[in-house]
Amino acid sequence: MTLTFALQGGDKDTMARAGLLTLPHGQVRTPVFMPVGTLATVKTLSPEELKDLGAQIILANTYHLYLRPGHELIASAGDLHEFMHWDGPILTDSGGFQVFSLAAMRKINEDGAVFSSHIDGSRHVFTPEKVMEIEAALGSDIAMCFDECSPYPSSYEQVRQADARTLSWAKRCRDSHSHPWQSLFGIVQGGVFRDLRKKSVADITAWDFPGYGIGGLSVGEPKPVMYDILETITPLLPEDKPRYLMGVGSPDCLVEGVARGVDMFDCVLPTRMARNGAVLTPRGRMNLRNAAYAKDLRPIDENCQCYACRNFSRAYIRHLIKENEVLGIRLTSIHNLYYLCHLMQDIRRAILDGSFGSFRREFWRQYRV
């Protein structure tokens, strides 16, 4: 079995939709937020804790796992599921964003990308065929095509050339992808140019991938620009296939992304924030390092049922963080991921019972960016 996707409901006033994504390692109820486990671990948390807080599917990074510990070692363990003791679905990105973010440390040509490792400066080559080899060895449920992500801002011509390369590489990825049950997603690029986005959708969907990533957003452009691009392209994507907005995970963008027809999201934001003592709440971001919380014996969020909020106070967690105790960032990470996973559950419930519009209005009544 590879992938099936069934729509189960939709909002009458927006493009929001709820679906059921069935993968070799389990079912995923969409819309969904995917915690990021870059190096085969979601930082500080065990797989059991991830399940307890509501994670359905996680993401791992091809570039980083290729460099350390190496895809051959992971394959010798069985696959990434066995290696990291996670029996649920996994999505692996292609490493394209990481390679192209190296800037001065890489060169791109039609064949692929030559880059220097950020670890030791060693030279490596990623081609579409090589990336498919690595992702097959990792054994994820969903693999992403190798693509070129244009930085923001980029000129029209720069984006056009990157899009042409992305399309060429997508065909090579499809032609060389041979894993028996892994599903390969194509990626829509096009920068902030509507016509290039539309062309990218038309070109990539012609290859009939089982799902589509939306790349090149949340890379520095204003949020209204991102929303405008989503409104432009999601109606053009196949209705019966999952849509994945890559690298987006703030609560406001999740709500607005769902309203524009997105099914899947991922981002390092919740765990990165957590490591700096910041937590997500329905009212916006809270920085527990602030002195105002030094004697605050309330939980992070009195309405939250995560492990951290059920057992510990703001004052205690602040104390742990100020003293650099690992438990502090574990608790903030648990809370942030619980909040996002349950936000998506609440969004899904609202879509299915016809109340997404009121849910969205109530979210914005409380939330401060």
Side-chain angles (χ1 to χ4, degrees):
M1 200 242 356
T2 52
L3 174 155
T4 63
F5 181 66
L7 288 177
Q8 298 181 310
D11 178 58
K12 61 182 176 62
D13 297 318
T14 68
M15 290 181 272
R17 56 202 220 146
L20 183 65
L21 178 61
T22 303
L23 296 164
H25 288 84
Q27 292 186 323
V28 178
R29 290 164 178 79
T30 65
V32 65
F33 175 79
M34 301 181 286
V36 175
T38 300
L39 289 161
T41 178
V42 176
K43 290 189 185 301
T44 77
L45 303 186
S46 72
E48 289 76 15
E49 288 169 323
L50 287 171
K51 288 184 178 179
D52 288 345
L53 61 81
Q56 302 181 71
I57 175 174
I58 62 174
L59 180 143
N61 184 274
T62 296
Y63 165 83
H64 288 284
L65 292 176
Y66 160 77
L67 291 176
R68 288 189 305 197
H71 59 289
E72 297 95 344
L73 174 65
I74 294 172
S76 71
D79 62 15
L80 192 54
H81 298 88
E82 295 291 330
F83 188 63
M84 66 182 294
H85 181 58
W86 170 261
D87 61 5
I90 297 174
L91 181 150
T92 47
D93 62 17
S94 70
F97 179 81
Q98 286 71 33
V99 169
F100 298 116
S101 67
L102 293 171
M105 300 173 69
R106 49 82 175 159
K107 293 182 179 179
I108 306 166
N109 55 45
E110 294 306 313
D111 191 49
V114 180
F115 63 94
S116 298
S117 164
H118 71 284
I119 299 169
D120 59 10
S122 57
R123 182 180 177 277
H124 302 270
V125 179
F126 265 15
T127 63
E129 294 78 14
K130 180 65 176 181
V131 170
M132 291 300 94
E133 173 194 327
I134 299 167
E135 293 195 80
L138 297 177
S140 54
D141 298 70
I142 298 172
M144 303 303 297
C145 283
F146 190 47
D147 66 321
E148 181 175 352
C149 177
S150 302
Y152 178 84
S154 291
S155 71
Y156 187 94
E157 183 57 24
Q158 288 173 322
V159 174
R160 189 193 65 78
Q161 291 179 12
D163 288 358
R165 196 171 285 124
T166 290
L167 181 64
S168 171
W169 290 355
K171 182 181 184 300
R172 288 167 58 189
C173 285
R174 193 191 67 158
D175 291 346
S176 61
H177 183 255
S178 59
H179 193 286
W181 46 257
Q182 185 181 67
S183 294
L184 179 65
F185 280 23
I187 300 177
V188 175
Q189 289 290 350
V192 297
F193 303 102
R194 288 187 185 182
D195 61 329
L196 292 182
R197 283 283 175 178
K198 290 178 180 179
K199 183 178 187 306
S200 181
V201 171
D203 289 341
I204 204 72
T205 55
W207 296 115
D208 195 30
F209 288 96
Y212 296 95
I214 302 170
L217 292 177
S218 192
V219 291
E221 80 284 357
K223 288 181 181 179
V225 173
M226 177 175 72
Y227 298 152
D228 178 70
I229 293 297
L230 291 176
E231 289 171 6
T232 299
I233 64 174
T234 52
L236 305 177
L237 289 167
E239 188 178 74
D240 61 345
K241 296 186 178 183
R243 306 160 181 168
Y244 161 36
L245 179 55
M246 305 172 72
V248 172
S250 65
D252 54 323
C253 289
L254 295 181
V255 172
E256 294 305 311
V258 168
R260 290 161 175 83
V262 176
D263 306 302
M264 305 167 68
F265 304 81
D266 84 282
C267 194
V268 298
L269 172 79
T271 47
R272 180 173 289 170
M273 282 178 53
R275 295 194 296 277
N276 290 302
V279 289
L280 297 165
T281 79
R283 294 163 299 284
R285 186 177 304 197
M286 176 190 299
N287 189 344
L288 291 178
R289 288 183 173 273
N290 291 347
Y293 304 114
K295 298 181 179 180
D296 192 337
L297 298 179
R298 294 174 294 172
I300 295 170
D301 180 357
E302 292 169 331
N303 295 316
C304 178
Q305 292 300 306
C306 79
Y307 175 75
C309 289
R310 285 188 285 110
N311 293 284
F312 304 102
S313 68
R314 298 173 181 179
Y316 178 66
I317 298 173
R318 179 182 184 275
H319 159 69
L320 295 177
I321 291 168
K322 296 289 284 186
E323 295 298 328
N324 295 317
E325 288 288 347
V326 173
L327 179 58
I329 62 174
R330 279 177 36 75
L331 294 175
T332 51
S333 295
I334 286 170
H335 171 81
N336 284 349
L337 289 175
Y338 181 99
Y339 172 74
L340 290 187
C341 289
H342 285 259
L343 173 64
M344 300 308 279
Q345 290 179 20
D346 292 342
I347 290 173
R348 175 185 165 84
R349 192 176 303 114
I351 294 169
L352 292 174
D353 69 20
S355 64
F356 178 72
S358 59
F359 177 94
R360 187 183 182 191
R361 288 189 293 274
E362 178 60 18
F363 172 86
W364 280 112
R365 187 186 68 80
Q366 296 185 71
Y367 192 79
R368 297 293 178 269
V369 177

